[in-house]
Amino acid sequence: VRAISELAPDTRLLHLQTPRSHRLRFLAGQSVTLGLATGGDDLHATHALASCPCDDRNLQFFIPRDETDAFAQRLFGGGLKGGDAVTVWGPTGDFVLAEGSRPLVFAACDTAFAPIKSLIEHALALDAAPSLSLFWLATRPDGHFMANQCRAWSEALDTFEVALSTHADVTQGAQQVARAMRADLFDIECDFYLAGPRDFVATLDTELRAAGVPAPQIFSEVL
């Protein structure tokens, strides 16, 4: 553990640093399993990487407060601190950037912004997409815990746009995101990357397909 930072009351940034001889080779959008073996407990949790694969030693994760997740409980309870050892298994998952030069549209809900952030940073590093658009839904007060970073991208890059929305209901929030997509820049000739709870992903997927977006241009990750 390199550092643990508070992004919001119910969200922590977990920063792990690998040994120089054991860097993690991963693709943007992938996940790993994190493990702790302390005090007789063996805790495991799968989380998406929030960092760019261009830095394969420094790994970032957005950990939400979750009473059903023993790993998160340990972190929020102060049982994990700088210098502690965390085992990393992976990477896994195929929620990665597809080859091509179409505009990219990203949609995230709450802490599912993690793989989306990784994908955006990788896409910016590649400089291959003509434009990037982000639609981020928050279902709780601290859901937009990196809004300043998103605005900084938008202000610094002519090719990047961001729309932040809030709704307590995931499904209605997803419908709100779909309406924003259609109103702002909807184009079926884009690649769409969706990450969030199952209802969020399913609702947006249905809306995009109904609008005529071909299935091979829709990529999704349920988190």
Side-chain angles (χ1 to χ4, degrees):
V1 177
R2 179 67 182 273
I4 298 171
S5 309
E6 180 178 321
L7 294 173
D10 292 321
T11 307
R12 297 290 183 272
L13 169 64
L14 174 62
H15 178 180
L16 303 182
Q17 188 172 68
T18 73
R20 294 185 185 278
S21 59
H22 291 81
R23 299 170 184 268
L24 180 71
R25 296 184 180 277
F26 67 96
L27 299 175
Q30 289 189 306
S31 299
V32 297
T33 297
L34 305 176
L36 290 174
T38 57
D41 295 327
D42 191 8
L43 309 179
H44 296 80
T46 299
H47 289 283
L49 287 142
S51 45
C52 180
C54 52
D55 186 351
D56 53 7
R57 281 198 71 206
N58 291 287
L59 313 177
Q60 297 181 355
F61 304 87
F62 301 148
I63 311 296
R65 190 186 301 274
D66 184 350
E67 300 304 323
T68 67
D69 180 350
F71 184 94
Q73 285 185 295
R74 177 69 60 85
L75 186 151
F76 277 86
L80 190 62
K81 60 185 183 301
D84 285 351
V86 176
T87 304
V88 178
W89 289 271
T92 60
D94 55 8
F95 185 60
V96 299
L97 287 178
E99 293 185 6
S101 58
R102 285 188 287 264
L104 304 179
V105 180
F106 302 94
C109 180
D110 295 330
T111 52
F113 177 63
I116 294 297
K117 174 179 175 289
S118 180
L119 289 169
I120 289 174
E121 290 184 341
H122 189 46
L124 292 175
L126 294 175
D127 194 25
S131 67
L132 297 88
S133 302
L134 168 64
F135 296 83
W136 188 3
L137 171 68
T139 63
R140 57 178 195 249
D142 66 349
H144 292 135
F145 50 84
M146 293 196 78
N148 288 340
Q149 174 65 72
C150 297
R151 295 189 184 101
W153 282 332
S154 181
E155 292 171 2
L157 304 167
D158 292 336
T159 58
F160 185 91
E161 294 186 14
V162 59
L164 306 179
S165 58
T166 303
H167 203 295
D169 182 86
V170 170
T171 300
Q172 293 183 45
Q175 292 170 346
Q176 182 175 301
V177 169
R179 289 193 296 271
M181 284 181 178
R182 289 195 297 268
D184 291 351
L185 48 84
F186 188 77
D187 182 351
I188 64 170
E189 294 304 321
C190 298
D191 283 343
F192 295 83
Y193 294 84
L194 321 174
R198 188 171 302 279
D199 288 349
F200 176 82
V201 169
T203 300
L204 270 180
D205 183 86
T206 299
E207 294 281 351
L208 291 173
R209 289 172 186 259
V213 178
Q217 290 170 217
I218 303 174
F219 307 86
S220 60
E221 181 83 338
V222 173
L223 296 170

